[in-house]
Amino acid sequence: MKFGDIFKTSLFKFSSYPSLLLVSNFKTVLYVFFLAFIMLFGLSAAAVPLFTSGGGFAGIAEKNLPEFSIKNGELTCKKVLIDDSQNSMYILVDDTKQGQIDLPDGYLQALTISRTDLLIRNNYQTNSLKLSEIGSLTKADVVAWLKDNTAIICFVLAVFMLAGFLISLSFNMLVTALI
């Protein structure tokens, strides 16, 4: 079966699906890569205009990060509180407190930052960090780093998305073949 026939059969010739079981392993792998690249291209085509209109990573950071600075292990920043129970996310930045600020229960993602400590929890683990380990850092430093490394970040994201698409497609094809 030619590659174009495989593509047509998989898209709309449902009664011919059993013929796809006769396709060689090499063509099947090529087909999975082809579909993954199509999915990556489609997602990129939809996301790039939004991404560039927002100014890229640096523009998004510039608009959404509050002004902050970390010097001598101490944070200076206005207080930030995001309590989004609908998305199970909690963020508290309070530079008037010292030491670790306890994370609230009932959130899958929680972050608290005091004048000296950072505490973060995601679905799997809780991590802490002394701000003195970071060194000196400001919002301008973060924005400049994002501007300098946008291409690398986009490449790494594309590789991870492609890997995710490959795994997802392979799993879906296996389940379909078993059914």
Side-chain angles (χ1 to χ4, degrees):
M1 187 178 274
K2 293 180 182 178
F3 195 76
D5 294 334
I6 295 171
F7 190 69
K8 289 177 194 172
T9 301
S10 69
L11 284 180
F12 56 86
K13 294 183 180 178
F14 306 116
S15 61
S16 300
Y17 268 19
S19 67
L20 293 175
L21 294 172
L22 304 174
V23 175
S24 70
N25 291 341
F26 180 72
K27 282 187 178 180
T28 302
V29 169
L30 279 179
Y31 181 70
V32 169
F33 272 97
F34 178 70
L35 285 180
F37 277 110
I38 287 175
M39 292 171 70
L40 181 64
F41 178 76
L43 183 63
S44 298
V48 166
L50 295 173
F51 180 72
T52 55
S53 69
F57 293 117
I60 292 168
E62 184 71 43
K63 291 175 191 164
N64 295 308
L65 279 179
E67 289 294 330
F68 74 91
S69 68
I70 300 173
K71 292 181 184 159
N72 300 322
E74 293 194 352
L75 172 71
T76 304
C77 180
K78 69 175 185 170
K79 185 175 182 175
V80 175
L81 175 62
I82 299 172
D83 187 353
D84 187 355
S85 57
Q86 211 171 20
N87 293 314
S88 191
M89 182 175 69
Y90 180 86
I91 298 173
L92 172 64
V93 179
D94 189 354
D95 68 352
T96 61
K97 297 183 179 181
Q98 295 275 345
Q100 290 184 352
I101 302 172
D102 291 332
L103 296 169
D105 291 328
Y107 294 91
L108 293 176
Q109 302 172 41
L111 168 74
T112 58
I113 305 174
S114 70
R115 178 175 286 280
T116 57
D117 290 271
L118 178 144
L119 191 60
I120 186 168
R121 177 180 58 224
N122 63 21
N123 299 354
Y124 308 107
Q125 62 186 3
T126 301
N127 294 311
S128 63
L129 176 73
K130 294 274 187 202
L131 295 181
S132 59
E133 297 175 30
I134 294 175
S136 294
L137 185 68
T138 64
K139 177 181 175 177
D141 295 335
V142 172
V143 171
W145 185 86
L146 288 171
K147 279 182 184 175
D148 293 342
N149 296 295
T150 296
I152 295 168
I153 295 168
C154 289
F155 177 76
V156 169
L157 281 173
V159 168
F160 278 110
M161 287 189 316
L162 183 63
F165 290 148
L166 287 171
I167 292 168
S168 173
L169 285 167
S170 299
F171 179 76
N172 289 340
M173 288 174 71
L174 178 65
V175 169
T176 303
L178 290 174
I179 290 174

